[in-house]
Amino acid sequence: MRVEIWADVVCAWAYIGKRRLERTLADWSGEDVDVVWRPFRIDPTAPAAAVPLAQALRDPVVAGALSRCVPDASPAAGRERAAQVAAEVGLGSPWGAAWRVDPTDAHRLIALAYDHGGSSLQDAVVEAVLQAHFVEAADISDRAVLGALAVASGFPAGAGLLAGDAGRDAVRDLLLEGRARGVTTSPTILVGERAMAGAQLPQVIAEFLRRAGRAAEPARETLAEVRRYRHAESLLELRDPLGALTLLGPLLAEHGDDRGVRLLAARACYASAQLGRARHLLEALVDETPDDPYVHRLLGRTLQRQSAGGPEGAAHLRLAAALAPSSTMVP
């Protein structure tokens, strides 16, 4: 059973959740579990250069973002509660982050560790990064710090990989995938499409794993391309057309002749006001399937939104109405 932990390394509850999951698995008697860490961002506006956390927390917006893993609690109460629970599960002392950081490179290192050494190496890197941030008060946005952590975790190649762009696109795509799959807080555990939010107690985690394992469909692999397409579709439904287009990029490059991929891209282009690109895709689709009312309607709307395309757009809308007179569909 694959257990995915979607979490931000600057979230105290991610570290607490890690300890609680470890306690759960120490007593686990069910099927084998493979734990994989995935990225999430609770503070997406963090600056590239680290800022002392005490200074950053004077901004109520920042304080709220860094404490939003604890619902119905003030930022100060959330931090106090996290420190108390961290002590209960054996983290610290000392305890407490010292820096507001952009965790992009840390997430890259964690993703690369999984690619190079699987879940055991990734777990070692995650542990090192979380300990550095919350116990050692290190700046985990500093590549020199991350490089040393990589070496200490048995991933010496990690430092060199961080010097380039390795893992950057993967983390970007994983963040979009998490949003498409409904991840809204750190940490969130996913087993298949079943989710449990928050750093729950070990007995709660165990019950979730038992239920999720029983409810899972028989093991079968879904093509990566199909998953990517579905996630792009979900992002479009969530009104994130630019995210959808990001995920569709590799599909358009590798499967540019697939009608479904091109139509979804056209819809995303229309929704993001990339009208020239939408028109290019839709005109080719109209040529291929001239009896498709949806494509005519979407092309008509696209042309009407372009300054010089009014009459031509109206013609496509009339044709769409003739092909599907009872349809109320709109792009």
Side-chain angles (χ1 to χ4, degrees):
M1 175 170 56
R2 168 170 287 191
V3 174
E4 296 176 277
I5 305 176
W6 296 77
D8 196 337
V9 291
V10 302
C11 172
W13 292 96
Y15 205 0
I16 292 167
K18 184 175 189 295
R19 282 292 182 272
R20 287 177 167 176
L21 177 61
E22 288 167 349
R23 291 190 180 183
T24 301
L25 296 181
D27 298 325
W28 181 251
S29 58
E31 61 183 295
D32 291 343
V33 173
D34 182 40
V35 177
V36 182
W37 286 78
R38 304 298 195 195
F40 183 77
R41 294 290 300 271
I42 63 172
D43 183 19
T45 62
V51 176
L53 188 59
Q55 172 187 328
L57 289 175
R58 295 172 191 160
D59 183 338
V61 175
V62 175
L66 291 174
S67 301
R68 68 176 179 148
C69 301
V70 186
D72 304 322
S74 69
R79 291 193 299 276
E80 182 178 347
R81 174 62 178 155
Q84 176 186 343
V85 178
E88 292 172 359
V89 299
L91 298 173
S93 168
W95 169 266
W99 300 95
R100 182 193 184 198
V101 300
D102 179 343
T104 299
D105 284 341
H107 285 308
R108 286 173 59 208
L109 183 66
I110 290 166
L112 290 166
Y114 184 79
D115 290 342
H116 283 73
S119 55
S120 60
L121 178 60
Q122 186 186 52
D123 180 77
V125 170
V126 170
E127 180 67 30
V129 169
L130 290 172
Q131 181 173 338
H133 185 63
F134 288 106
V135 178
E136 299 168 6
D139 174 6
I140 60 168
S141 66
D142 186 326
R143 289 186 181 177
V145 170
L146 289 173
L149 294 176
V151 171
S153 303
F155 184 32
L161 291 169
L162 285 180
D165 288 328
R168 191 173 298 278
D169 288 350
V171 168
R172 176 203 64 195
D173 289 359
L174 283 168
L175 288 169
L176 291 170
E177 178 186 333
R179 184 163 190 261
R181 295 176 67 184
V183 177
T184 59
T185 192
S186 168
T188 295
I189 293 179
L190 286 182
V191 177
E193 295 307 314
R194 289 182 170 254
M196 183 184 69
Q200 303 294 338
L201 294 170
Q203 58 268 32
V204 177
I205 298 174
E207 181 60 23
F208 169 75
L209 295 183
R210 282 192 290 269
R211 290 178 180 272
R214 287 197 299 266
E217 296 181 1
R220 65 184 184 188
E221 290 296 325
T222 302
L223 289 175
E225 291 85 354
V226 174
R227 293 197 303 271
R228 181 177 284 268
Y229 178 90
R230 290 174 179 170
H231 295 150
E233 200 170 35
S234 295
L235 287 175
L236 188 56
E237 293 173 0
L238 291 168
R239 298 185 178 181
D240 183 5
L242 293 177
L245 285 170
T246 297
L247 291 186
L248 285 171
L251 297 182
L252 286 168
E254 298 176 19
H255 305 283
D257 57 344
D258 185 279
R259 183 179 182 280
V261 170
R262 286 182 291 147
L263 180 55
L264 186 58
R267 291 171 55 201
C269 288
Y270 177 85
S272 59
Q274 299 182 54
L275 301 179
R277 189 178 176 193
R279 177 177 181 174
H280 174 75
L281 289 165
L282 290 165
E283 286 178 338
L285 289 168
V286 162
D287 288 342
E288 295 170 14
T289 54
D291 59 346
D292 187 327
Y294 181 85
V295 175
H296 279 288
R297 186 180 296 272
L298 185 53
L299 178 56
R301 293 288 179 84
T302 299
L303 292 169
Q304 283 193 329
R305 288 177 65 184
Q306 289 185 306
S307 58
E312 190 178 354
H316 282 284
L317 292 176
R318 287 194 299 271
L319 184 53
L323 290 168
S326 62
S327 175
T328 59
M329 61 181 180
V330 294

